[in-house]
Amino acid sequence: MEDTFLEGIAYILPAAVTGFVAYYMFNGFIKSQNSERKLEILAAKRKDSLPIKLQAYERLLLFCERINPVKMLLRIQPLSTNTTEYLQLLIANIEQEFEHNLVQQIYISDDSWTAIYAAKSAVINKLKQVAENSSSANELRENVLIDYSKTLPPTETAIAYIKNEVKKLL
C-alpha cells in the first residue's frame, strides 16, 4: 500500500509541477499581451489627441496675440474721446476673445491655462490703471503704448509658456 502511495505521488508530483509552471508562464504571457495592448491603445489616443491639443495651443497663442495691448490698441480705434468708453470697449473686446476660447482649457495643461488667465487679468488691470491717469481716449492709448515700450507685455510671458508646452508635446 505504501508503495502504491509513493508511486502515485511520483506520477502526481511532476504533473503538478508542470501544471504550475505552465500556469505561471501563460499568466505572464497574458499579462504581457495586455500591457502591449494598453500601450498600443494609449499610443493611438495620443496620436488622435495631439492635433486637437496643438490646435488648442494655437488658438490660445492667437488669443494672447490679439489681447497684446500694443497690437490691440492699433487694431481697435476709440469711438469717442471718452476714456471710460474706450476702456470699456477694450475690456469688452478682451472678454469676448476670452469667452470665444474658453473651451480650449480642456485640451491644455492647467499651468498653461493659469498663465493665459493671468496674462488676460494683467492686461485688463494695467488698462484700468492707466485709464485712471488719462483724460482722453487718445491719451490712454499713448500712455499704454509708452508704458509697454518700457516693459514686456504679460501676453509675451504667456506666449513663451505656450511655446514651451508645445515643445514638450512634440
Side-chain angles (χ1 to χ4, degrees), residues 68-70 126 143-157:
N68 180 318
V70 175
K126 187 62 153 181
N143 291 342
V144 169
L145 291 173
I146 289 169
D147 194 55
Y148 280 115
S149 69
K150 298 174 187 173
T151 61
L152 198 63
T155 54
E156 292 300 320
T157 306

Side-chain angles (χ1 to χ4, degrees), residues 20-168:
F20 283 124
V21 169
Y23 170 77
Y24 284 114
M25 286 181 63
F26 283 121
N27 193 23
F29 177 74
I30 289 172
K31 284 182 181 179
S32 173
Q33 290 291 343
N34 285 340
S35 295
E36 282 183 33
R37 274 191 233 131
K38 285 179 183 178
L39 287 175
E40 288 172 5
I41 290 171
L42 184 61
K45 280 184 180 179
R46 283 191 177 168
K47 181 182 172 189
D48 292 341
S49 69
L50 184 62
I52 295 169
K53 286 183 177 187
L54 289 175
Q55 184 181 24
Y57 280 111
E58 287 172 6
R59 287 186 62 177
L60 291 169
L61 189 129
L62 180 63
F63 165 73
C64 288
E65 286 291 336
R66 290 186 59 81
I67 69 164
N68 180 318
V70 175
K71 294 175 184 175
M72 186 173 54
L73 291 176
L74 296 174
R75 192 178 68 249
I76 301 170
Q77 302 294 322
L79 301 176
S80 71
T81 59
N82 187 313
T83 307
T84 307
E85 287 178 12
Y86 188 49
L87 176 65
Q88 293 306 317
L89 177 66
L90 294 172
I91 292 173
N93 187 278
I94 292 169
E95 292 295 342
Q96 181 182 12
E97 290 281 342
F98 183 73
E99 288 174 10
H100 182 70
N101 291 295
L102 191 62
V103 74
Q104 301 305 318
Q105 68 181 303
I106 294 171
Y107 305 110
I108 66 170
S109 70
D110 289 339
D111 291 339
S112 293
W113 183 251
T114 301
I116 291 163
Y117 190 80
K120 171 198 160 260
S121 298
V123 168
I124 290 173
N125 289 336
K126 187 62 153 181
L127 289 173
K128 287 178 181 178
Q129 182 183 33
V130 173
E132 289 176 0
N133 301 323
S134 302
S135 59
S136 71
N138 285 330
E139 187 179 340
L140 170 63
R141 294 179 78 201
E142 288 173 15
N143 291 342
V144 169
L145 291 173
I146 289 169
D147 194 55
Y148 280 115
S149 69
K150 298 174 187 173
T151 61
L152 198 63
T155 54
E156 292 300 320
T157 306
I159 288 171
Y161 199 88
I162 290 170
K163 288 179 179 179
N164 190 34
E165 288 287 315
V166 169
K167 285 180 185 175
K168 288 179 187 176

